[in-house]
Amino acid sequence: MSTEQPSPTDSTTTSSGERLASLRQRFEVFEGDRLGQIGLAILALFIFIGIFARPYTIEFLDFTVSTPGLAPYDPGERAVGDRLESPSAAHPLGTTDMGRDVLSQLIAGTRVTLIVGSLAAFMAVFIGTNVGLISAYFGGWVDDVLMRITDIVYGVPFLPFAIVLVAILGSSIVNIIVAIVLILWRSTARVIRAQVLSHKQRPYVESAQAIGAGHVRIMYRHILPNVLPLTFLYAAFAVAWAVIAEASLSFLGFGDPNMLSWGEMIYNVYTANAIREAWWWVFPPGICIMLFVMSVFFIGRTLEKEVNPELNHQ
């Protein structure tokens, strides 16, 4: 009588599936965290506004679907109201020095914020995670080279670097995202490297190596799922940092002139010398930046509790 034993391959695959299932369960931490739920609600509201800021018309086969835009006026249209008109029924947030509707500009700026925050954070975390993963897994000269590059990036101040880069390449949303990504990946790389160093010596990695699994399979199939919670945490913080960075560059006059953002709105108030006069023009974008960053940090705080369970007892 013989008993059939599971092969090492089956065992390793099962272990990976269990880790992925555990990863999905970790996000249930939002159910018991009020600040995390508030953060998700605020972020969902901004996403909704960003998606439906302007009307869409989608044609597919014989069907045409049109969606209304949330912005009551064209954000770039002049003289929809009087110059520097205070809030009224027709213009709930007043108008600019050129008679443009502030509410419409605020709604349109939400989309730019989402684009910059999501793309810059995704690219920075993607680069940082891969650098940290490859550096820690292979070690040796690979680790030395990648970590020395990371050290060099740590020594580069963001604003001067971004200003020079945008001044050379031109003021566009793509160049602003590139400038943010080239600096933002460094923190993720350091933290992921430290996490992978602790994982690559564990039994499940040794088992995968024993059955002949390749380096790529071990890194991305077995180690990566275990460090994804930390990656998501730094992605949340990266979104907030990217939004602040874009607003800072736009306020300094290095934003994309063809795309209206919240930082660009504050810059326009400043250049019009209306900061003290037109409070309805400067407060809304500032409050939106604060709420957006706050919501992302609330989400990051909740994810941090999952990464570091000791915070649940504080």
Side-chain angles (χ1 to χ4, degrees):
M1 176 177 176
S2 61
T3 58
E4 184 178 351
Q5 299 293 332
S7 65
T9 305
D10 296 336
S11 177
T12 306
T13 304
T14 302
S15 178
S16 299
E18 291 175 352
R19 288 197 296 273
L20 289 173
S22 176
L23 178 64
R24 290 192 295 268
Q25 294 176 356
R26 289 172 181 174
F27 288 95
E28 295 178 358
V29 69
F30 285 99
E31 295 180 359
D33 192 284
R34 183 61 58 84
L35 287 180
Q37 294 172 358
I38 293 174
L40 286 175
I42 296 174
L43 183 61
L45 176 61
F46 280 125
I47 292 174
F48 175 81
I49 293 174
I51 292 175
F52 297 102
R54 296 185 179 182
Y56 288 98
T57 299
I58 302 175
E59 295 183 359
F60 180 73
L61 298 178
D62 295 331
F63 298 95
T64 300
V65 179
S66 298
T67 61
L70 296 176
Y73 301 94
D74 184 343
E77 184 180 356
R78 300 187 181 186
V80 296
D82 296 333
R83 295 179 64 254
L84 295 179
E85 178 184 341
S86 60
S88 62
H91 305 284
L93 294 181
T95 61
T96 69
D97 62 331
M98 295 184 180
R100 291 168 175 158
D101 184 64
V102 174
L103 177 60
S104 299
Q105 291 193 339
L106 192 71
I107 292 174
T110 305
R111 183 176 299 177
V112 177
T113 299
L114 292 173
I115 292 173
V116 173
S118 58
L119 285 181
F122 172 79
M123 294 171 64
V125 170
F126 177 81
I127 295 173
T129 299
N130 280 278
V131 169
L133 186 61
I134 294 171
S135 176
Y137 180 81
F138 288 104
W141 68 268
V142 175
D143 185 33
D144 291 338
V145 170
L146 292 178
M147 286 302 100
R148 294 303 75 77
I149 294 175
T150 306
D151 291 340
I152 293 173
V153 176
Y154 261 108
V156 178
F158 170 73
L159 274 180
F161 169 79
I163 289 173
V164 171
L165 184 66
V166 172
I168 295 174
L169 299 180
S171 298
S172 69
I173 197 68
V174 174
N175 294 336
I176 291 174
I177 292 175
V178 169
I180 295 173
V181 170
L182 289 178
I183 298 295
L184 194 57
W185 64 268
R186 58 192 181 184
S187 299
T188 306
R190 281 287 190 185
V191 174
I192 295 300
R193 174 182 178 272
Q195 192 79 354
V196 174
L197 284 174
S198 67
H199 277 277
K200 75 172 188 176
Q201 304 297 335
R202 296 189 181 182
Y204 73 87
V205 175
E206 296 177 355
S207 299
Q209 292 173 338
I211 63 174
H215 296 311
V216 174
R217 182 180 178 85
I218 294 174
M219 285 191 295
Y220 293 99
R221 181 69 183 275
H222 303 292
I223 297 179
L224 182 60
N226 289 282
V227 300
L228 274 181
L230 197 60
T231 300
F232 292 148
L233 170 63
Y234 273 78
F237 291 142
V239 170
W241 199 93
V243 170
I244 295 174
E246 188 279 330
S248 301
L249 286 173
S250 295
F251 178 72
L252 292 174
F254 293 94
D256 189 338
N258 299 316
M259 299 189 72
L260 184 66
S261 67
W262 294 335
E264 189 78 16
M265 290 179 66
I266 300 176
Y267 170 73
N268 291 336
V269 182
Y270 177 77
T271 56
N273 294 320
I275 286 183
R276 297 180 183 273
E277 178 184 357
W279 57 267
W280 59 84
W281 189 5
V282 67
F283 279 177
I287 292 173
C288 283
I289 293 173
M290 179 193 71
L291 288 175
F292 187 90
V293 173
M294 184 177 67
S295 69
V296 177
F297 271 109
F298 283 169
I299 295 172
R301 175 183 174 276
T302 304
L303 294 177
E304 191 173 14
K305 287 185 177 181
E306 181 60 27
V307 175
N308 186 6
E310 294 181 0
L311 295 176
N312 290 318
H313 304 291
Q314 295 182 1

